[in-house]
Amino acid sequence: MIIQPKFRGFVCTTAHPEGCATHVREQIEYVKGQPSIQGPKNVLVIGASTGYGLASRISAAFSAKAATIGVFFEKPASGKRTATAGWYNSAAFEQEAHREGLYAKSINGDAFSNELKQQTIDLIKKDLGQVDLVIYSLASPKRKHPVTGELFSSVLKPIGRPYASKTVDFHTGVVSEVSIEPANDEEIRQTVAVMGGEDWEMWVQALSEAGVLADGATTLAYSYLGPTLTWPIYRDGSIGRAKIDLDETAHRLDRRLKERGGRAYVSVNKAVVTQSSSAIPVVPLYISILFKLMKEQGTHEGCTEQIYRLLSERLYGGEATVDENGRLRIDDLEMKPEIQEEVTRLWEKIGTDNIKELSDLTSYREEFFRLFGFEFDGVDYKADIDPDVKIPSINE
Ligand code: NAD
């Protein structure tokens, strides 16, 4: 099959196995080029196939030499359809990890379900005994509650009043005004149920009760705050409510884990291009401006640079410093006042006619396609390629 990108808005329905493998290898090379981390030994990553979760798995494995179990929800190739990017990423990750003699197994399915939690516990018991780091990096539009069976949908909406702002179609570069109606109480409740802390807490509880969480274990979940510019749609919007719930969950889990020498944190990460962030209105335009400024300052980071820094400097590099809400912060470089003042200045002026000059939309687009394995030098996109790639531990 000759695999080309097929996209609609922020969704790309094809992925390229060799390109995804190249992407994973690039991230591994970055981590291997950094000083190694004296860190976790057995790591569970929930949401391990793309974005921040994949970067977490790569950093733990290739910098701390940790055994990793990755949980995710991806699709293998079938008929004329390619697999999803996260499927190809995970296949490449396992191959590279096994090549270096590292334990790496994956579980594909609905992480919100009790069955998948039990399957994970059984695998930990069988192969690792216990895990000492649990990273929760799920991003999902829907969740089926494992007890009540209720199906929740999350929304990306402001709260209280409509929100109008600039947004960009990153394929065409056309900047337009977007207006979003506020979420109602029911939508907020459902967004919190999908992206808040309940499922994270269920995971930690299940692992703990099953005796597979080591004494002194750490658990992490990821969050975002961002600048005032995006607050109406993010921090103060429906997703922001879910993130507040995540903070409260972290405090509860931290108190519980402390009894056994452990800890729980929310880490506030920077805005990066992932399948999830490209779906948020306004955010791609903000990220395009941010990229330009952070590249100019030499402080540009992607998921891997962020997570390597989180593990090496914040979590396993001495005393973890937290903010007034007990959160780890690796969004420090994004939030520097001089960067944000300049973002605001450019935001006022940006439009379709000057977008190339005032932002790095080209990099945004390129990074978007790279998420699906496209736009890599050295990959022959005209070659006929077998889309049916196996993930070693799933297909064994
Ligand atoms: P992503 O879309 O790249 O990854 C989501 C992961 O969740 C994938 O591995 C996917 O397979 C998995 N997943 C989704 N539904 C699942 C299910 N039902 N069962 C099992 N796995 C499932 O997302 P991301 O952008 O890396 O986001 C991860 C976390 O990081 C989120 O909490 C997000 O809010 C946070 N974060 C993201 C950004 C950003 O700019 N992207 C910034 C700061 C924080």
Side-chain angles (χ1 to χ4, degrees), residues 24 54 57-58 61-62 68 89-98 104:
V24 168
L54 174 64
R57 193 176 192 189
I58 289 174
F62 290 92
T68 59
N89 290 341
S90 302
F93 171 85
E94 278 199 14
Q95 275 159 12
E96 295 298 322
H98 296 165

Side-chain angles (χ1 to χ4, degrees), residues 310-332:
L310 172 66
L311 298 186
S312 63
E313 292 179 16
R314 301 290 195 274
L315 266 190
Y316 297 100
E319 199 59 14
T321 336
V322 292
D323 70 7
E324 66 287 0
N325 286 309
R327 296 176 295 223
L328 298 164
R329 301 295 294 263
I330 47 168
D331 62 340
D332 47 348

Side-chain angles (χ1 to χ4, degrees), residues 46-54 71-74 84 86 90 107-113 116 136-144 195 199 203 221-225 234 239 243 246 267-278 280 283 287 303 306 334 371:
I46 303 155
S49 53
T50 54
Y52 274 120
L54 174 64
V71 170
F72 45 76
F73 206 177
E74 302 293 345
T84 51
S90 302
I107 298 179
N108 189 38
D110 181 11
F112 296 126
S113 70
L116 198 113
Y136 189 84
S137 187
L138 283 195
S140 172
K142 290 200 186 314
R143 171 181 174 223
K144 185 175 171 197
M195 288 299 288
D199 184 58
W203 266 100
Y222 295 143
S223 188
Y224 182 64
L225 288 174
Y234 204 96
I239 181 76
K243 295 302 188 186
L246 207 61
S267 169
V268 182
N269 303 352
K270 90 175 264 278
V272 291
V273 184
T274 66
Q275 294 182 37
S276 298
S277 69
S278 56
I280 309 176
V283 167
I287 295 182
C303 292
Q306 279 267 290
E334 170 183 0
L371 296 176

